[in-house]
Amino acid sequence: FAWARATGRKYPLMVTLSVTDRCNFRCEYCKLPDMDRDEMSTADWIRAIDELADAGMMRVSLMGGEPLVRKDIGVLIDHLRARGINIAMNTNGWLVPRKMDEMMKLDLVCVTLDGPPEVHDKQRHRGSQARALSAIELLRSRGKNVVTMTVLTAQGIKTVDYVLERARELGVRSFFQLV
């Protein structure tokens, strides 16, 4: 980072990789799963990671869709870890309990929390708010650094205080994004 600053050169220090458009949810404000785009293969992602790491990438955020639906997500995480990259992942939390081996290799997990069940579940998937909270508690119990991300919609804008209070109770920070 210091070398980039000193030389004025541009480096891909922090990169977001959208590893899939697929998702186990159909959130009312997200159209990614409907885009039907081709997905890069494991080998393609390994090559891309190597090129970015060689160019100076220090931190990556894995996003989707839902990154945990990729069968090879563990391979990608392992390769990033082997390259010394700091790894964050955005997830809806539903698959976290089944993917704990992969989750434990991450430096940061961002779990989406759009508000109380009547807002979160309506926008995302029935029962998903409870699963998101359980995922946060599970990750925190294992020492993982967790944050929440709230997508602010017209009905969700009124839930900011709720999300902040839940975050305080869970011992995590909250971030908000406009739809």
Side-chain angles (χ1 to χ4, degrees), residues 28-137:
E28 64 182 31
Y29 47 76
C30 180
K31 303 298 179 227
L32 280 176
D34 301 327
M35 296 185 84
D36 195 31
R37 296 185 288 194
D38 289 337
E39 198 166 273
M40 288 172 58
S41 70
T42 306
D44 291 337
W45 276 118
I46 297 292
R47 277 191 300 279
I49 289 166
D50 286 341
E51 288 179 27
L52 290 164
D54 290 345
M57 178 176 66
M58 297 170 57
R59 183 178 188 280
V60 69
S61 180
L62 301 173
M63 299 179 73
E66 171 56 50
L68 293 177
V69 300
R70 277 193 74 112
K71 287 183 169 68
D72 64 352
I73 196 65
V75 172
L76 301 181
I77 291 169
D78 287 343
H79 192 69
L80 286 159
R81 180 68 50 223
R83 293 300 309 251
I85 307 298
N86 178 289
I87 312 165
M89 178 186 287
N90 286 30
T91 178
N92 59 38
W94 192 272
L95 299 172
V96 165
R98 283 190 251 164
K99 300 283 189 167
M100 280 308 291
D101 289 343
E102 290 86 348
M103 304 311 292
M104 295 309 296
K105 297 173 186 175
L106 302 173
D107 296 292
L108 175 69
V109 181
C110 179
V111 179
T112 52
L113 180 63
D114 286 353
E118 61 272 13
V119 173
H120 182 98
D121 290 1
K122 180 180 181 297
Q123 292 182 168
R124 293 182 170 273
H125 184 77
R126 186 182 322 184
S128 63
Q129 194 258 14
R131 293 276 292 257
L133 294 175
S134 292
I136 293 168
E137 291 170 348

